[in-house]
Amino acid sequence: MTINDRDEEARAILRANDRGGYTVPNGRVYPFQWNWDSAFVALGFDTFDRNRAWQELETLLGAQWENGFLPHIVFWQDDPGYFPGPAVWGTGRTPVTSGITQPPVAATVVRKLWDSAEAAGDGGAYRPRLAALFPKLLAWHRWFRDFRDPEQRGVVVAMHPWETGRDNSPEWDAPGEPIDISNVGDYVRRDTSHLDAKMRPTKLEYDRYLALVQFGRATGWDHGRISRKNPFRVADIGMSMILLRANRDLAVLARVLGDESAAAELDDLIERAERGISWLWDDKTGTWCSRDLVTGRHSGFITSTSFLSFYAGLADPARDAATLAHFDRIGASVPYLMPSLDPADPGFQMIRYWRGPVWAVVNYMIGTGLTEAGETDRGERVRGDTRTLIERNGLYEAFSPVDGTGSGGDDFSWTSAIWLAWARQPRS
Ligand code: DGY
C-alpha cells in the first residue's frame, strides 16, 4: 500500500465514522462521541475539511454542563453495542452523557485549528467560531481547578481510570485496591464480544470501573462530593501535563481575542502548575509519574506519559536529562516507540491496551513536544516510528512496540487523524 492509499483510507475512515457533526472513535467498539478522541479527530479533518474540523469540537462542547464539566462520552443516540451505556451512567442530562471527564486536549487542538485557519487566510471567517468556543474551554479548565485538584497543587486528580484515557495502566492497580467491588452485581461486557479479551482490561479492572460509576451515580454526579470522597483519587501525570499545555494554548487564544483578564487568570494557573507538578517527580525512579492522593505514594511506573514534560513546556536540565536517558534506553530496547509501559517492567504486555502498546495520539504529543523543545532527533524518531507502524500495519487502535502488530479496531478515527495531520510526512 502506498502513502497515498493510506491517506485515502484514513480520510475514508473519518468519513465512515462521522455520525453527522461528531465522529465515533471506531465503528463497533465505541459507538458514541468520546471527548479526547474528538479533539484529535478534528486535527485530521482539518487537513481536508476545515469546517468539519471545527464542527467536531463545537458538537462536543454542546454537551457541556452548566458547571463547566465536559463529559468523556456523549450519547447522542443509544447503541446496544456498548457497555456501560447511558442508563448505567444515569446522569439525567440531555443529551445523556457520562459523569466523568477525559484528558483536556481540546484547547490545544483549537489553537492548532486557529493557527491553520489564519495561515490559510481564513482567520476572519473563523474568528467568531473561536470566540464562541473560548469561554466554554475556559469554563472547562476552571472546572478542573475547582473539582479535580482538591489540594490546589496545580495537578489533575483523576477520579476514575477512564478519566485518564489510559484505562488499564498499572498506575491504577494499587490505588484501585481499596475500591469496594462487592456490590457491583452481574453485567455483560460488550468490548470483549468485539475484540480479543487479551487486548482488553481484566474482569477485576472492569469491576472497579463499574464500582466507581456506581459511586458517582449515588452522589447524583455531585463533582464536589466526588472530589472529596471518591474511593479513587490519583494525580495523573498524563492529564496534569496535558492541562498545563492546554492552559498555555488557551492563554495564547485569550490574547488573540484580546481578553487580557482571562489571559492573566490562565497565566496564574500555569504558574501554579509549573510549581506544583514537581510533586509528580519521583526521585527514586528518576521519572515523572502518577501519584496516589490518598496514600501519597508515587506509582513509580515509567509510562508513555512520563515523556510529556516537553509537550507541557517544562524545562529542568536534571529532570530532562533523566527523562531522556529513559527515552534512549527504551528506544534501544524496542523497534517502535513509545510503549505505554516501560518494556523493562515485569508487567509489560505488548498487546494489552495501556500496558505496553503504542498509541499514535500519545506519540503525537511526545513527538511534537520533543521537537518544540529542540530535541528534534528524538522527536523525529517518535514520528518516524508512528509512520512506519501505520504504513506497514494499518489504522489500528494501538500497536505492539515489539513487532508492530495492530490491536483493537482497525478503523480507528484518531489513528487516521494523526496519520493525516502528523505521522505521514517522510522521515527527515
Ligand atoms: C472503554 O469503554 O473502553 C472506554 O475506554 C471507556 O472510556
Side-chain angles (χ1 to χ4, degrees):
M1 181 173 274
T2 68
I3 294 288
N4 290 343
D5 292 340
R6 200 57 96 203
D7 289 349
E8 204 31 68
E9 188 192 355
R11 285 189 286 264
I13 287 174
L14 291 180
R15 284 194 206 96
N17 290 342
D18 182 353
R19 295 289 178 272
Y22 72 94
T23 309
V24 296
N26 89 329
R28 288 173 309 134
V29 191
Y30 304 107
F32 310 109
Q33 184 172 30
W34 260 260
N35 182 325
W36 73 326
D37 289 76
S38 268
F40 288 117
V41 156
L43 293 176
F45 275 120
D46 197 49
T47 65
F48 64 99
D49 186 345
R50 172 164 298 121
N51 171 57
R52 185 61 191 76
W54 285 72
Q55 190 187 29
E56 186 75 26
L57 287 156
E58 288 161 350
T59 306
L60 177 68
L61 284 150
Q64 186 167 39
W65 293 13
E66 310 77 57
N67 66 355
F69 165 74
L70 194 63
H72 99 297
I73 305 177
V74 189
F75 302 99
W76 293 107
Q77 53 192 34
D78 205 353
D79 187 309
Y82 181 80
F83 177 86
V88 180
W89 287 94
T91 52
R93 297 273 155 169
T94 312
V96 189
T97 73
S98 69
I100 58 169
T101 195
Q102 239 179 0
V105 288
T108 298
V109 168
V110 171
R111 179 179 174 197
K112 274 256 167 228
L113 299 187
W114 169 252
D115 288 347
S116 119
E118 274 244 293
D122 268 352
Y126 281 85
R127 198 180 176 91
R129 292 171 80 167
L130 174 65
L133 287 176
F134 178 81
K136 299 180 182 186
L137 292 165
L138 180 62
W140 187 28
H141 288 203
R142 285 178 175 149
W143 177 89
F144 274 104
R145 176 199 64 199
D146 296 342
F147 296 109
R148 286 299 184 266
D149 189 11
E151 297 178 359
Q152 299 292 291
R153 291 181 175 278
V155 299
V156 177
V157 178
M159 301 292 161
H160 195 299
W162 284 339
E163 280 201 321
T164 71
R166 300 181 297 119
D167 307 5
N168 69 336
S169 170
E171 294 157 281
W172 327 133
D173 291 355
E177 274 167 25
I179 300 171
D180 177 10
I181 54 172
S182 58
N183 294 314
V184 165
D186 293 334
Y187 59 94
V188 179
R189 283 172 65 167
R190 300 308 312 266
D191 59 321
T192 41
S193 64
H194 301 299
L195 296 169
D196 187 337
K198 286 201 284 297
M199 299 172 179
R200 298 291 304 173
T202 62
K203 157 107 172 91
L204 172 63
E205 284 155 357
Y206 253 77
D207 284 354
R208 289 179 182 164
Y209 301 157
L210 290 173
L212 291 173
V213 171
Q214 289 167 357
F215 180 88
R217 188 184 164 144
T219 70
W221 297 107
D222 173 342
H223 293 141
R225 182 129 184 261
I226 292 169
S227 82
R228 290 186 302 275
K229 302 267 180 235
N230 203 54
F232 178 92
R233 277 171 284 152
V234 182
D236 170 24
I237 190 64
M239 292 178 96
S240 300
M241 294 292 186
I242 286 169
L243 182 61
L244 173 50
R245 170 60 185 257
N247 274 328
R248 293 188 200 279
D249 290 315
L250 201 58
V252 170
L253 294 176
R255 295 196 161 94
V256 167
L257 293 167
D259 189 339
E260 276 309 318
S261 115
E265 179 184 339
L266 288 160
D267 287 346
D268 285 348
L269 289 177
I270 293 163
E271 233 183 80
R272 181 193 290 178
E274 284 175 338
R275 278 195 313 271
I277 209 156
S278 287
W279 196 65
L280 301 184
W281 177 261
D282 179 12
D283 261 329
K284 202 164 137 226
T285 329
T287 194
W288 293 106
C289 66
S290 300
R291 186 165 179 180
D292 190 346
L293 209 69
V294 179
T295 63
R297 277 194 212 119
H298 287 285
S299 77
F301 287 108
I302 301 169
T303 70
S304 46
T305 57
S306 301
F307 299 96
L308 290 181
S309 52
F310 303 95
Y311 173 83
L314 295 172
D316 173 311
R319 289 175 182 170
D320 290 353
T323 302
L324 294 175
H326 286 305
F327 180 102
D328 293 343
R329 175 181 56 76
I330 295 174
S333 75
V334 287
Y336 306 109
L337 289 176
M338 177 55 77
S340 42
L341 177 63
D342 184 347
D345 190 284
F348 171 81
Q349 296 178 60
M350 72 176 190
I351 64 158
R352 198 183 286 278
Y353 218 36
W354 291 92
R355 292 186 184 242
V358 176
W359 292 75
V361 291
V362 180
N363 273 11
Y364 165 73
M365 294 187 285
I366 298 172
T368 52
L370 284 167
T371 298
E372 285 166 359
E375 291 294 338
T376 42
D377 288 350
R378 292 180 175 100
E380 274 299 287
R381 162 86 198 263
V382 178
R383 196 183 60 77
D385 287 0
T386 316
R387 181 183 204 259
T388 306
L389 282 169
I390 297 175
E391 188 186 353
R392 295 206 184 133
N393 304 290
L395 293 152
Y396 279 91
E397 183 170 10
F399 302 88
S400 159
V402 176
D403 62 11
T405 316
S407 56
D410 62 357
D411 58 342
F412 241 74
S413 300
W414 70 10
T415 310
S416 304
I418 293 301
W419 168 260
L420 291 169
W422 180 69
R424 72 177 297 286
Q425 282 80 26
R427 279 182 192 261
S428 60

